[in-house]
Each structure stands twice: as structure tokens, then as C-alpha cells.
Amino acid sequence: MTNKSIIILSLVVLYSRFISGKTTCSQQLVKEWHPQPSSYVVNWTLTENICMDFYRDCWVLGVNTKMDTPGNHIVPQICPLQIQLGDILVISSEPSLQSPEINLMNVSEISFIDCVQNTTTDDQLLFGCKLKGMHTVNPQWLSAGTHYFITVMASGPLLCQLGLRLNVTVKQQFCQESLSSEFCSGHGKCLSEVLDKTYRCHCQPPFSGIYCQELDACSYKPCKNNGSCINSRGKWNKQGCECICHPPFTGRDCSEIIGQCQPHVCFHGNCSNITCFTYH
């Protein structure tokens, strides 16, 4: 038996031991954008961070992230990763994987799910040499979007079938009007939920808008007597809103009654109410 055969057999044994249990990947439901890049190290191993089904058990969410794969077959893989645009990703291989000539290849989502290697092309390989020790992934493979990486080797079994595959979602942020602008205009947080593809502003009242740049004057409830408030961004009055009043109320804030005596109605006399809606 050759050394390569022994190594492959060892990997199969490791995998057989693993599938007796099931890993569930924990994931923050909401994350805030961090201004400085972060580094993530993914251990390329069969012994600690392989989950059994990308679509059901890999994330603790309470809901399915996608529909099941055809035939509902098990899809083992390294726990999915979500990072920001500009973050650094490092792949660290375990010693048992360093002897075979293995590398990582970028593939389509369908090839990732079905573990189809097809023809290995050099322009889709992540590293210029075999995977050994720690390797930093080139930023060209970490553009905004979801990327799918599988393990390839010159000969032997498809190791991605054993779980040595990884999908990475790289998120960008839309929380600044310009590079010099403050995040969310200083009136909110730049957040992303686990199923989101981007980071966006979550505004603090009374602010709204894509970048929390708009003041929601209606949040102060300025219209009395059940009047309807319409944000006008300063077009109607200094309050930045307009009150639509329901009869018999009127006035800027719907606090006046139509036909009732109001202060200074009569400049040279006294005002007397005749009916609910008229005066003289």
C-alpha cells in the first residue's frame, strides 16, 4: 500500500468517526460593520468544523436558509463563513492533508453542491502551490458575493464529498453617501442580518432614509385630535411636516376648531359663539 493510499484511508476513517455526530454552526444573527479589516482563519480539517447539511443544520436560525438539495442527501462541508469586503481569509491545513498534492478551487454553486470537480483549470486554483500550512486567500477570490471553494487533488477521492468544501459570503456596505461621510449620518448603525447580502443602515428615531439623513418630524406626533402627519422635509413649515386635520379641527397642529372663537379673531370687538361652527 502506497503512502498516498494510507493517507486517503486515514481521511476516510476520520470522516467515518465524524459522521457519528453532527456539528451545528453558530452564527451571529446580526453583525455591525467594523471599519477596520478583520482576519479569519479556517482550519481545513475533517475533525472539528464540518457540518452535515448546508441547508438545514449548519446554522442555528430556526428556519431553513434555502430549499433542500435534490434527493435530500447529506451535504457535509466546513461551516459557512460570512465576512466583510476587505477582510482577510487564511486557510490552515492539518498535517495529514499536507502530503497529497491538494489545492483549493473556485467553483460554481451547482458544482459545490454536487461536488463536481470537472477539469481543474489553473486560473480557478486559489493557490500557486499545494495546500501546506497556512495560506492567505488572494483578495481576487473575495469580491462581494458568495464564493464556493472545494478541495482538489491530482488523484484519489473527491475530498469535498468528505466535507472539505467551504462557501464564503463577502458582504459590502451601503451605509455612506460618500467615503468621507459618517456611517448612517451618525443617526444609526450599519448592520447586516445573517441572511442579508449587504450591510445597510438601521436608523434611530426620528431619522429615516437610506443613510438616516432624513428627519422624521412626524415621529414627534405633532398633529393633535387624530390629525394625519405628512413629512414634508421643510416644504410646508419649519417643523418639516404638514398636518391634515379632520373636521371640525384646523390649524397648523389641528388644535383649533372651525367656527369657534379663537384669540384675536375680532380686532375691534368681542367674539361670541352662535353655533358649534359659526361665530360673530
Side-chain angles (χ1 to χ4, degrees):
M1 183 177 292
T2 64
N3 290 336
K4 181 176 288 188
S5 299
I6 294 174
I7 291 170
I8 293 173
L9 179 61
S10 299
L11 291 175
V12 174
V13 171
L14 281 174
Y15 175 72
S16 299
R17 290 178 179 175
F18 169 78
I19 60 174
S20 60
K22 182 181 287 188
T23 296
T24 301
C25 304
S26 61
Q27 178 76 22
Q28 281 184 267
L29 295 182
V30 179
K31 297 178 69 175
E32 184 173 3
W33 180 271
H34 46 262
Q36 299 301 321
S38 295
S39 295
Y40 295 85
V41 177
V42 173
N43 294 322
W44 213 252
T45 172
L46 292 170
T47 59
E48 58 183 59
N49 58 340
I50 303 291
C51 59
M52 297 306 295
D53 190 341
F54 170 58
Y55 300 106
R56 284 190 180 275
D57 301 313
C58 280
W59 284 334
V60 184
L61 296 176
V63 295
N64 295 338
T65 56
K66 289 186 179 179
M67 67 179 69
D68 286 342
T69 55
N72 297 316
H73 61 274
I74 290 177
V75 184
Q77 68 161 335
I78 293 174
C79 287
L81 184 64
Q82 294 195 347
I83 63 177
Q84 292 182 186
L85 188 64
D87 283 345
I88 299 169
L89 176 60
V90 177
I91 304 296
S92 177
S93 65
E94 75 171 23
S96 63
L97 295 175
Q98 293 180 6
S99 292
E101 295 287 338
I102 70 171
N103 205 323
L104 269 62
M105 184 171 69
N106 178 68
V107 296
S108 66
E109 181 180 12
I110 295 176
S111 296
F112 177 85
I113 294 173
D114 295 334
C115 192
V116 178
Q117 180 176 330
N118 293 329
T119 302
T120 301
T121 56
D122 291 341
D123 61 344
Q124 294 300 308
L125 293 175
L126 267 62
F127 308 119
C129 57
K130 72 174 183 178
L131 185 62
K132 182 178 181 180
M134 301 183 73
H135 293 261
T136 300
V137 177
N138 192 304
Q140 77 176 84
W141 303 113
L142 299 176
S143 58
T146 301
H147 305 274
Y148 302 92
F149 306 137
I150 65 174
T151 305
V152 294
M153 58 188 301
S155 62
L158 295 178
L159 296 181
C160 55
Q161 290 180 341
L162 305 183
L164 288 180
R165 68 177 104 187
L166 172 69
N167 81 84
V168 181
T169 299
V170 182
K171 301 183 180 183
Q172 57 185 327
Q173 57 91 2
F174 295 98
C175 298
Q176 294 173 284
E177 291 189 82
S178 66
L179 293 177
S180 60
S181 300
E182 192 174 1
F183 281 96
C184 303
S185 305
H187 305 304
K189 292 184 177 182
C190 187
L191 304 175
S192 179
E193 297 183 6
V194 68
L195 299 183
D196 294 340
K197 298 298 183 181
T198 60
Y199 282 76
R200 295 190 180 274
C201 287
H202 289 240
C203 305
Q204 299 172 345
F207 296 94
S208 62
I210 297 177
Y211 307 108
C212 304
Q213 77 280 15
E214 299 173 5
L215 176 63
D216 182 7
C218 288
S219 66
Y220 294 110
K221 298 181 180 180
C223 303
K224 299 178 181 178
N225 298 308
N226 294 319
S228 300
C229 182
I230 300 176
N231 275 300
S232 55
R233 300 181 180 88
K235 293 181 180 179
W236 298 98
N237 53 43
K238 293 181 180 180
Q239 288 180 303
C241 64
E242 178 192 19
C243 289
I244 306 299
C245 306
H246 302 293
F249 301 102
T250 187
R252 189 177 69 176
D253 60 357
C254 302
S255 61
E256 301 175 12
I257 301 177
I258 298 173
Q260 292 292 293
C261 289
Q262 302 294 334
H264 312 298
V265 169
C266 302
F267 292 99
H268 303 291
N270 296 320
C271 178
S272 301
N273 292 315
I274 298 178
T275 68
C276 291
F277 303 105
T278 60
Y279 61 86
H280 71 275

